[in-house]
Amino acid sequence: LDTSFGTSGKFSLYITPATTTDRGTCGGQQSDGKLIIGGYTRIGSGNDDFAIIRLTTAGVLDPTFGTGGIVKVDFNGGSDRANALRVLPDDRIVLVGFASDFLLSPDQDLGVAVLTRDGALDTGFDGDGKQTIDIGEQSDTGQTVDVQTDGKIIVGGHTFFAGGSEAPLIARLTAAGALDATFGGGDGIFNSVIPTSTGDFIESVVVQADGKIAASGRSAPGNVFNAMAMRLNANGTWDTSFNGTGYNAFDLGSGSDSMDSILVQPDGTYVVGGYWLNSASGFID
């Protein structure tokens, strides 16, 4: 542990002291070395908000960010959670997750927020710095985010349809926060179910130098999940030069498997990491 950071190399904080749940789910670093941590804080019974903090390089809250180093983002008065973030070249911060309004429906929508460098909502993004997108008949969740060189935002996750099936979700938003009509089915969204699968989840997405989009996660051909990787063309259609179909699901063991991160190497090959569940021992490796 680096004892020059925080308290003996560690930092912890109750964002909303009157509640019991604060969780960091993602992080990034701005150009001056300051750390951005995103996640959610519980502000009431079953009600969460996006939560973002900034730490100095010494590991203390930066009072020049938000209010005392902390930003909370509420979308529609319901429960909102940030699952991933990306720090842009100009140090603005993009966060993705889900947003819901439990007063109307338990349905979760894709939630995207953009903050300025110092933690204010960026009104250049959808007018108020926030965007919610209802894609499937039921819940939609953003799990991962990357940003193209032209500023367009790529969000990966999953969407639930009536009847219980799930589809991989990749949405592209313009820098101004609108769905990009040049992507997917003409509505800015890709959510095609993998054939023979009853449930697909994207956990990691990356934009390649050629504009193609690689993703990894898991796919369910039956009662267990298999590890899955996929690739789309820059316009949001299956790239059939990848395994002949645009996707590949593979069974790593006797239980469920998932590939939760993907990295593109300089030679164009991929490194993916995740876990597999050994159904005999019950251990996750």
Side-chain angles (χ1 to χ4, degrees):
L1 289 172
D2 181 357
T3 56
S4 67
F5 180 86
T7 302
S8 301
K10 296 175 286 185
F11 175 89
S12 62
L13 170 73
Y14 280 116
I15 294 175
T16 309
T19 65
T20 57
T21 303
D22 294 310
R23 180 168 295 179
T25 58
C26 48
Q29 190 171 38
Q30 293 182 315
S31 59
D32 59 2
K34 292 180 179 179
L35 301 177
I36 304 295
I37 309 297
Y40 62 91
T41 183
R42 182 145 298 168
I43 61 171
S45 179
N47 191 9
D48 305 324
D49 281 348
F50 277 25
I52 309 96
I53 65 173
R54 184 164 76 187
L55 304 181
T56 68
T57 55
V60 298
L61 280 173
D62 180 0
T64 66
F65 183 82
T67 302
I70 301 170
V71 174
K72 301 178 188 179
V73 179
D74 174 62
F75 285 82
N76 299 310
S79 193
D80 316 310
R81 294 185 178 184
N83 294 322
L85 70 80
R86 180 74 59 173
V87 177
L88 301 179
D90 62 2
D91 282 334
R92 288 181 301 132
I93 304 155
V94 179
L95 300 112
V96 304
F98 68 77
S100 60
D101 183 353
F102 289 138
L103 297 176
L104 300 176
S105 166
D107 181 29
Q108 297 170 352
D109 293 336
L110 186 68
V112 183
V114 178
L115 305 181
T116 67
R117 181 190 185 282
D118 291 321
L121 283 166
D122 181 1
T123 56
F125 181 80
D126 201 47
D128 61 358
K130 300 178 289 184
Q131 173 69 289
T132 58
I133 303 168
D134 187 7
I135 296 168
E137 288 117 333
Q138 296 182 354
S139 295
D140 312 308
T141 299
Q143 289 289 121
T144 177
V145 61
D146 201 2
V147 179
Q148 298 181 171
T149 54
D150 61 2
K152 291 182 178 179
I153 299 168
I154 302 294
V155 181
H158 57 269
T159 183
F160 285 75
F161 294 100
S165 64
E166 301 96 29
L169 163 65
I170 296 180
R172 185 162 75 190
L173 284 70
T174 68
L179 284 168
D180 181 2
T182 67
F183 184 83
D187 56 1
I189 298 166
F190 170 93
N191 60 345
S192 296
V193 177
I194 292 176
T196 73
S197 174
T198 59
D200 307 303
F201 295 76
I202 290 177
E203 299 288 351
S204 183
V205 68
V206 61
V207 179
Q208 300 182 170
D210 61 2
K212 292 183 178 183
I213 300 163
S216 66
R218 57 192 185 273
S219 179
N223 294 327
V224 298
F225 287 103
N226 288 337
M228 182 270 291
M230 56 183 284
R231 189 168 71 202
L232 302 183
N233 294 308
N235 65 355
T237 58
W238 287 116
D239 176 11
T240 55
S241 68
F242 182 80
N243 196 42
T245 58
Y247 60 87
N248 190 9
F250 36 97
D251 189 2
L252 299 178
S254 55
S256 288
D257 318 309
S258 182
M259 287 295 142
D260 294 343
S261 60
I262 186 168
L263 173 70
V264 183
Q265 299 191 109
D267 64 358
T269 58
Y270 303 102
V271 176
V272 290
Y275 68 86
W276 70 279
L277 174 63
N278 187 324
S279 59
S281 68
F283 291 116
I284 294 176
D285 299 320

